[in-house]
Amino acid sequence: MRKLHLHYRMRFAVLVFASVATMTTFGLDNGLMRTPPMGWLAWERYRCDIDCKNDPKNCISEKLFIDMADRLFEDGWKELGYVYVNIDDCWSSMERDKDGRLQPDPNRFPGGIQRLARYMHDRGLKLGIYGDMGTHTCGGYPGTTLDKIEIDAQTFADWEVDMFKFDGCYSNAIEQELGYPLMSKALNATGRPIGYSCSWPAYQGGLPPKVNYTQLGQICNLWRNYGDIQDSWNSVLSIVDWFFENQDVLAPAAGPGRWNDPDMLVIGDFGLSMEQSRFQMALWAIMAAPLFMSNDLRTISSGAQSILQNKMIISINQDPLGIPGRRILKEKVGIEVFWRTLSNNASALVFFSRRTDMPYRYKTSLSKLNYTTGSYKFTDVYTGKTDVLKDSTEFVVSVNPTGVVMWYVSAPGKLKYHPFIRGGKRHEPAYDAEENTFPRVFL
Amino acid sequence: MRKLHLHYRMRFAVLVFASVATMTTFGLDNGLMRTPPMGWLAWERYRCDIDCKNDPKNCISEKLFIDMADRLFEDGWKELGYVYVNIDDCWSSMERDKDGRLQPDPNRFPGGIQRLARYMHDRGLKLGIYGDMGTHTCGGYPGTTLDKIEIDAQTFADWEVDMFKFDGCYSNAIEQELGYPLMSKALNATGRPIGYSCSWPAYQGGLPPKVNYTQLGQICNLWRNYGDIQDSWNSVLSIVDWFFENQDVLAPAAGPGRWNDPDMLVIGDFGLSMEQSRFQMALWAIMAAPLFMSNDLRTISSGAQSILQNKMIISINQDPLGIPGRRILKEKVGIEVFWRTLSNNASALVFFSRRTDMPYRYKTSLSKLNYTTGSYKFTDVYTGKTDVLKDSTEFVVSVNPTGVVMWYVSAPGKLKYHPFIRGGKRHEPAYDAEENTFPRVFL
C-alpha cells in the first residue's frame, strides 16, 4: 500500500515537470466544436439518482441514455444538431478495477460504456462522459487525481467516447492548474478526437486574474464559467446577468473550438414558463453557448420542443463566425437589448423585458440601436413574421414579462463596426474595446 | 367653492359621529359570498393601460370588459362559478361630474357603467368596480374621501354594480379606520347587495394588533391582507409563505361571507410554469381564497385554462364549510404539506416541493399526516387517479420542482380533530389552538 503510494507520488512529480516544460506549446487542437456543441446532458434533470429499483425510468443507467438517444434519433433532434448524449456524475463504480481504471457501475451499466458509445455511433450520435479533477467527483465517486489523468484519458478513448467533462470538486487551485492542461494533453495523446469540457474556471470565480481565458482557449473546447444552473427563472436570469455584466472579459474568450458554457438548457423541465423558455433559448444563442438540454425527451411538451427545435435560433447559435453577442442597452423601464453579429453581414437582436406586470411596448429604431443607414429585412424568429425597416423608422416591439422578442436582421451593407474582429490566428482575438464603444448606450 | 368645502366638512363630522355611535352594530350582513367569489379582475394583467389609441385590445375600456364577459359566457367559465367581471383602477374620468359623482372616462367607457352592468346581468354575470379610500386612487384618479363615501356608494348602486373594491392609497390609518366601516354602512344603506372588498389590512401590515380581523369580518366580504401579486413565481411563493407563516391569525379570520384575499390568479399570464400554475390554483383552494383571474381569456393556453377550470379544485375552493386550510408539515428536504378540512368529512391534501432540481419522491403515510385509523379513498385532482389507502400504508408521491400533488380525500369516519369548529354565531369562530396542535410536526 505504501509502496504503491510512493510509486504514485513519483509519477506525479514526473507529470508536473512535463506539464511545466510543455505549457507554452499546449493546445487541444482537436479540430472539434467549431460551432457550439449541441446535445443532451443528464445532470440538471436527473442528478445523482441511482435508485433504479424504485425509479427505474429516471435513474442514471444505460437505459436512460439509450432512451434519450432513441428520442434524439427519432424525434428530429439529431438533424438539427443535437448529437451528444452525455453522461454526468454517478455513472461509475465506487472502486476502480484491478488495473486502476474507472469502471461503470455494473448494475446500472451492465453493457459497459463502449457498447453504449457504439449505440450512439450507430445512430450518428456521440457519447460524452464525466470525470472530476480531484480525489472524488462531486457526487463522491472516484475522482481523477493527477496520477490518474493519463490512464483515465486512455480509458475514455478505448471506450470510443467523444466528449469528456472534467469537473473540479475535491481539488485545490494548484492541482487544477496542473490537471486541466494535463488532461488536455492526455486526451490529445490518445489520438481520438474527444471534446473537452473544463469546469476549471467555475471553481476559480470565472474571472481574471485567477482565470486565464487565453490558456483555456488553448486547452479546452468549452468551459463552465459560473455556478450550476437550477430549474428556476432566478437561476437562469442570474446566469445571464453574470455573463453580460462580464461580457468585456467573456465575449472575447469564445470563438470556434472554444466556448463559454453558461450550463444546460432547462427548457422542458418544471421551473420555466414558456416566455422564460424562449428567453433561455434566445440568450444561449446570443452567447454562442453550447446547447445541452437536460430534460425528459420522452415526455417533453410540444411547446418546449418547438422552442428547442427552432431552426432559426439554432442557426444563430451555430453561426460560423462564432462571435458571442453583447448586451447593448439597459433601459430603466426594465427593457434590455442584446445584439450579436453574424456571418453574411447579418445580426441578431433580442429585446428582453425584466418586468413582471404586463407586456411592455418598447419604442426604438434600428439607428438608435446603432445600425447604419439603410433598409434592413428582419424576421421574428419565434413568430416567423418578416418585415423591412429603415434604420430611422421608429417601431414598437411588445415584449412580454420575462420574455423576449428576437429578430434575425439581414444587413443591407457593412455594419458600422464589427466587435471582436479577429486576426488570422485562432487563439488571439484582436478584440478592440475602443472600437466597440457604443456612442449612446453601450454596456 | 369655499362654501361647498364647508358643507362637506360638516357632513364629514356628522358621518364620523354616526360611525362611532354605531360601530358595534355595524355589519355588512349582505348575505353575499358565502363561498369565495370567483371571476375576473383587470389589474394584474392590464394595470393602468389607458392607451386605447395604440393598444386598443388591452386598454382599460368597456371593450375589454365586454370581451372578457363574452369569454366567461361562451367558454365555460360562468358555469364553473367565474361570474364577476371586475373593473380596477383607471376607469374614471379625472374629474367628478357637476353633482360630485364619479364618472367613467367618456372615451373609454362611452356606454357608461350602468350599460356595462346590464351587459353582464343579461349574461348571468356580475360587474365589479373600484374606488379608493383617500384623496386619489393609486393610479391618480379621483379618490373617495370620507365626505364622498355616501355619494359614491349610491352611485355604484344606481349603476347596478355588484361588487366594490375599496383600495387605500393616499389615506392615513385614521381615515381608513373611519372610511372602511363607513363605506360598508353606505353600501348596505343603498339596499343593493354589493360585495365589498377591502384593501384596508394590506395597508396596515395585515396583522394584529393593527388589523382587527373580527371587525373586518363584520364589515367586508373579503379583504386584501398583503401586497399586490406580480406575474412571477417569486411573488406567488412569497404570498403563500406569508399567509401560512401567519396561518394562526389568518385562517380563523375567514369563513362564509368573509374571506382573506391573497390577490389575483396569474395563471395564464407570462411568469408561471405549468407546475407553478398548478401550485397557485391548489394553494388558493387550500386558503379558501377568492378566485379572480387576471389574464387574457381571449388568448389563454389550453393548459392554463384546464387548470383554472379544474372542477374538483374549484369544489374544494368552494367548500360550503369555508374553513381555510393550514400548512401542517415543512420538511427539511423542501417538501411541505398543506391540509384543509372539507364538508362530508372529507379533506384536501397538497404536497408541495420547493426544490429546483428534480421530482422528489416523498414517502409518508396518512397516519403520519395525522389521519385517524381507517381506509381512505383519495383522488389526485390533477390526474384524476383514484385509489384507496389505509392510514398506516406507506406511500410515495413524486412531487415536481415548484409543483404540487393535490388530493381530495374522502374520510371513512370522523377525523381526529376539526380545526376551527365554530359555534352557531357567524363571527365568533371557536378556534382552539390547543386542539389543533399536531403531535409531531404541526406548523
Side-chain angles (χ1 to χ4, degrees), chain B residues 348-386:
Chain B
L349 275 175
V350 168
F351 303 92
F352 162 55
S353 170
R354 202 178 272 277
R355 302 174 69 94
T356 55
D357 55 352
M358 56 183 277
Y360 188 84
R361 294 168 52 81
Y362 180 60
K363 192 173 188 175
T364 187
S365 69
L366 289 177
S367 71
K368 284 183 185 167
L369 302 175
N370 281 295
Y371 280 75
T372 46
T373 306
S375 286
Y376 295 79
K377 184 186 165 200
F378 73 89
T379 305
D380 184 311
V381 300
Y382 283 118
T383 67
K385 181 192 147 191
T386 289

Side-chain angles (χ1 to χ4, degrees), chain B residues 61-121:
Chain B
S61 71
E62 61 183 31
K63 186 184 175 317
L64 181 69
F65 298 95
I66 286 170
D67 278 359
M68 295 306 155
D70 290 347
R71 297 277 57 78
L72 290 178
F73 185 65
E74 293 171 24
D75 296 344
W77 300 98
K78 191 190 94 173
E79 290 70 21
L80 294 165
Y82 292 99
V83 295
Y84 285 95
V85 181
N86 288 5
I87 301 167
D88 206 275
D89 204 349
C90 308
W91 63 270
S92 84
S93 180
M94 276 297 183
E95 304 291 337
R96 288 171 177 266
D97 73 8
K98 61 178 171 30
D99 300 316
R101 287 178 302 207
L102 291 169
Q103 52 185 346
D105 181 278
N107 297 314
R108 293 183 284 115
F109 293 85
I113 303 300
Q114 184 165 16
R115 203 168 82 176
L116 199 54
R118 292 197 171 156
Y119 190 90
M120 304 304 160
H121 300 157

Side-chain angles (χ1 to χ4, degrees), chain A residues 11-115:
Chain A
R11 232 176 114 185
F12 171 74
V14 170
L15 285 168
V16 170
F17 177 76
S19 86
V20 171
T22 58
M23 192 71 88
T24 48
T25 56
F26 258 19
L28 187 53
D29 202 21
N30 56 12
L32 293 172
M33 302 182 175
R34 306 300 296 171
T35 62
M38 298 172 63
W40 186 93
L41 176 55
W43 182 256
E44 196 290 316
R45 176 64 182 77
Y46 298 93
R47 308 279 167 154
C48 195
D49 180 355
I50 56 170
D51 184 5
C52 291
K53 188 178 159 221
N54 293 305
D55 200 16
K57 279 192 68 115
N58 300 304
C59 67
I60 302 301
S61 70
E62 62 184 30
K63 186 185 174 316
L64 181 69
F65 298 96
I66 286 170
D67 277 1
M68 294 307 154
D70 290 348
R71 298 276 58 76
L72 290 178
F73 185 63
E74 292 171 23
D75 297 345
W77 299 99
K78 190 190 95 172
E79 290 70 21
L80 293 165
Y82 292 99
V83 295
Y84 285 95
V85 181
N86 288 5
I87 301 167
D88 205 275
D89 204 349
C90 308
W91 62 270
S92 83
S93 181
M94 276 297 183
E95 304 292 337
R96 288 173 177 264
D97 72 10
K98 62 176 171 30
D99 301 317
R101 286 178 303 206
L102 291 171
Q103 51 184 347
D105 181 279
N107 297 314
R108 294 183 284 115
F109 292 85
I113 303 298
Q114 184 165 17
R115 202 168 83 176

Side-chain angles (χ1 to χ4, degrees), chain A residues 208-219:
Chain A
K210 276 186 145 182
V211 173
N212 178 345
Y213 280 109
T214 305
Q215 183 193 9
L216 281 167
Q218 289 162 351
I219 65 168

Side-chain angles (χ1 to χ4, degrees), chain A residues 81-308:
Chain A
Y82 292 99
V83 295
Y84 285 95
V85 181
N86 288 5
I87 301 167
D88 205 275
D89 204 349
C90 308
W91 62 270
S92 83
S93 181
M94 276 297 183
E95 304 292 337
R96 288 173 177 264
D97 72 10
K98 62 176 171 30
D99 301 317
R101 286 178 303 206
L102 291 171
Q103 51 184 347
D105 181 279
N107 297 314
R108 294 183 284 115
F109 292 85
I113 303 298
Q114 184 165 17
R115 202 168 83 176
L116 199 54
R118 290 197 175 156
Y119 191 90
M120 304 304 159
H121 300 159
D122 288 347
R123 285 153 184 79
L125 302 171
K126 295 169 187 289
L127 184 70
I129 203 161
Y130 167 101
D132 185 281
M133 173 63 236
T135 55
H136 300 84
T137 71
C138 301
Y141 289 78
T144 302
T145 44
L146 291 167
D147 56 301
K148 290 289 192 301
I149 284 177
E150 282 188 358
I151 191 173
D152 288 354
Q154 191 57 53
T155 301
F156 301 141
D158 292 345
W159 287 344
E160 299 171 40
V161 158
D162 305 293
M163 182 171 168
F164 175 60
K165 172 177 170 180
F166 205 23
D167 210 342
C169 277
Y170 303 110
S171 57
N172 62 34
I174 293 167
E175 290 161 337
Q176 290 173 8
E177 183 138 3
L178 294 168
Y180 281 96
L182 275 178
M183 178 59 83
S184 182
K185 197 184 175 197
L187 291 170
N188 267 0
T190 67
R192 181 174 178 83
I194 298 178
Y196 181 33
S197 167
C198 299
S199 299
W200 185 15
Y203 283 88
Q204 298 301 328
L207 296 174
K210 276 186 145 182
V211 173
N212 178 345
Y213 280 109
T214 305
Q215 183 193 9
L216 281 167
Q218 289 162 351
I219 65 168
C220 310
N221 293 113
L222 61 158
W223 47 80
R224 287 281 311 285
N225 316 64
Y226 194 61
D228 286 359
I229 200 165
Q230 307 296 332
D231 186 10
S232 77
W233 171 239
N234 285 349
S235 172
V236 171
L237 187 56
S238 72
I239 289 171
V240 167
D241 281 341
W242 186 85
F243 270 82
F244 287 96
E245 278 156 19
N246 296 295
Q247 62 186 358
D248 289 344
V249 167
L250 301 174
R258 52 198 169 84
W259 307 105
N260 296 307
D261 180 6
D263 212 0
M264 291 157 275
L265 296 167
V266 294
I267 298 164
D269 292 319
F270 308 101
L272 299 191
S273 71
M274 281 295 116
E275 294 296 333
Q276 292 158 1
S277 301
R278 283 188 275 267
F279 170 88
Q280 193 187 19
M281 194 69 184
L283 270 291
W284 263 236
I286 290 290
M287 288 190 277
L291 299 180
F292 287 107
M293 307 181 281
S294 192
N295 53 17
D296 191 342
L297 296 174
R298 298 165 300 198
T299 59
I300 190 168
S301 74
S302 60
Q305 181 160 339
S306 74
I307 292 169
L308 290 162

